[in-house]
Amino acid sequence: KLEYAYLDVKYLIRLADILRDRLVAADVLEEAELEFRRLEARPPAAREFDPDGYRRIRGRSALTDPEQSVLRELFLLRDRHARRMDRPPFKVLANETMLRISRRRPASRAELRGIRGVTETVVRRLGEGILRAVARGVERGRPPAPRRRKPRSVRLHPRQQQQLERLKDWRKEAAARRGVPTMVVLPNHALVDVVRARPKDARALAALPAVGEKRARLYADAILAILAG
């Protein structure tokens, strides 16, 4: 384990030097450093379990409705046990094994043992839970409809939205002239910051954390003209 951890970091310092040299050569070091600082400051995203995640299992679409209902129950069961055991879900029960169980829908431990991938350890630890999950899935008959997720949208006033679209058009042209990706000119979150802040001059533009001095020096005239239009 120590050797594995050591190899994880052995080459990172040298790689950092190589990447820095490439960023300098491409004249995008300042832009990259701004993005690095933004990412460093972001709090880690809370890992939320998605009960509809079973729909992303390869092979799920070939199952009948009752079989998919069983698969969903097995997926929920696996997550509960993975959390309790502090193990990755696939080490508790593999996707392929859950698919086989869903197709066979065993009603007893003997039937469960006959399914490939179901070891004695699985039967001992999860056997009764699996059989109850199968029974619940069969009784339900079909899985519930997936939850509707609210799309994440940036709320801007109509005028701000128009300015954002104009900035995107300008950014595309500026990136093409400079021969860089559009996010080097200004990433999306920076565009939103700009239209919300509506800086009045280059100094105020440079003071925006996502913009910085170099971008203000290169693009202030164009950006301020769009905001004033």
Side-chain angles (χ1 to χ4, degrees):
K1 290 183 179 179
L2 287 175
E3 183 180 6
Y4 183 87
Y6 165 71
L7 290 174
D8 256 4
V9 299
K10 177 180 178 181
Y11 305 102
L12 292 184
I13 295 176
R14 177 61 185 142
L15 281 173
D17 291 338
I18 293 171
L19 291 173
R20 182 182 179 84
D21 290 344
R22 291 184 178 180
L23 291 170
V24 170
D27 190 26
V28 294
L29 179 62
E30 182 176 323
E31 294 92 333
E33 287 179 337
L34 285 172
E35 185 65 12
F36 297 157
R37 287 198 290 271
R38 183 184 76 89
L39 294 174
E40 287 171 359
R42 284 176 62 180
R47 190 171 182 181
E48 183 182 349
F49 173 68
D50 179 9
D52 292 324
Y54 77 98
R55 293 177 174 273
R56 295 188 289 273
I57 294 176
R58 178 178 288 186
R60 188 270 310 175
S61 59
L63 300 179
T64 64
D65 280 351
E67 291 168 351
Q68 290 193 38
S69 182
V70 171
L71 179 63
R72 178 181 181 273
E73 294 295 334
L74 293 173
F75 183 77
L76 299 176
L77 171 74
R78 181 178 71 172
D79 177 73
R80 290 195 297 271
H81 279 268
R83 290 172 186 268
R84 190 176 305 147
M85 298 164 64
D86 194 23
R87 299 188 69 187
F90 72 91
K91 288 195 174 182
V92 174
L93 202 60
N95 287 347
E96 295 79 5
T97 305
M98 292 198 300
L99 288 168
R100 295 187 193 105
I101 295 172
S102 300
R103 294 189 190 99
R104 297 276 292 275
R105 286 170 283 177
S108 67
R109 282 180 172 250
E111 291 179 12
L112 184 59
R113 285 189 175 91
I115 298 173
R116 183 157 58 93
V118 178
T119 64
E120 279 301 317
T121 301
V122 169
V123 173
R124 185 175 68 254
R125 290 179 176 172
L126 302 176
E128 290 304 316
I130 289 174
L131 295 176
R132 287 195 296 269
V134 170
R136 284 195 302 272
V138 170
E139 183 179 1
R140 179 184 286 274
R142 62 185 305 173
R147 297 180 304 170
R148 290 189 176 182
R149 296 177 178 273
K150 270 191 168 184
R152 292 183 180 179
S153 57
V154 178
R155 293 184 179 180
L156 298 173
H157 297 302
R159 179 176 172 78
Q160 291 176 322
Q161 191 63 48
Q162 290 173 1
Q163 290 174 336
L164 179 63
E165 296 306 318
R166 290 179 63 196
L167 282 171
K168 287 182 178 179
D169 292 339
W170 159 80
R171 179 182 64 172
K172 186 176 180 180
E173 295 173 1
R177 286 194 300 270
R178 193 174 163 192
V180 296
T182 54
M183 74 168 297
V184 171
V185 176
L186 272 180
N188 287 337
H189 64 88
L191 293 179
V192 174
D193 289 349
V194 167
V195 298
R196 281 180 170 161
R198 279 205 82 186
K200 300 300 182 183
D201 53 36
R203 180 177 295 183
L205 181 64
L208 296 176
V211 178
E213 293 183 4
K214 179 181 176 182
R215 283 172 170 149
R217 186 174 67 252
L218 292 175
Y219 311 124
D221 290 345
I223 291 173
L224 295 174
I226 290 172
L227 295 178

